[in-house]
Amino acid sequence: MSVTRLKRKHRKNIARANNKQRIIKQLLLTPVLKNVDLEELKSRFTKSEAKTEAAA
């Protein structure tokens, strides 16, 4: 008995595996959200804006 290869199914399986890997890589690229103190960040930006306005 000879072995036949299902070429279309083989390509589909490879494409499916590549898509799953791509999705995992995209998820790993997104930064992890952490607990951030918004008030502290806002105060940093207001300080830096005040310095740039004074310099201008």
Side-chain angles (χ1 to χ4, degrees), residues 31-46:
V32 178
L33 295 177
K34 296 183 179 179
N35 292 334
V36 178
D37 187 14
L38 292 177
E39 298 302 321
E40 195 268 336
L41 281 176
K42 287 179 186 176
S43 66
R44 281 189 190 177
F45 282 109
T46 54

Side-chain angles (χ1 to χ4, degrees), residues 6-34:
L6 302 173
K7 295 179 183 176
R8 194 183 315 145
K9 184 175 182 181
H10 181 66
R11 277 186 312 211
K12 192 166 57 174
N13 287 340
I14 289 176
R16 191 176 292 142
N18 288 339
N19 288 340
K20 286 184 179 181
Q21 285 180 346
R22 191 178 310 122
I23 289 170
I24 290 172
K25 285 182 182 179
Q26 286 175 353
L27 288 173
L28 290 174
L29 284 176
T30 58
V32 178
L33 295 177
K34 296 183 179 179

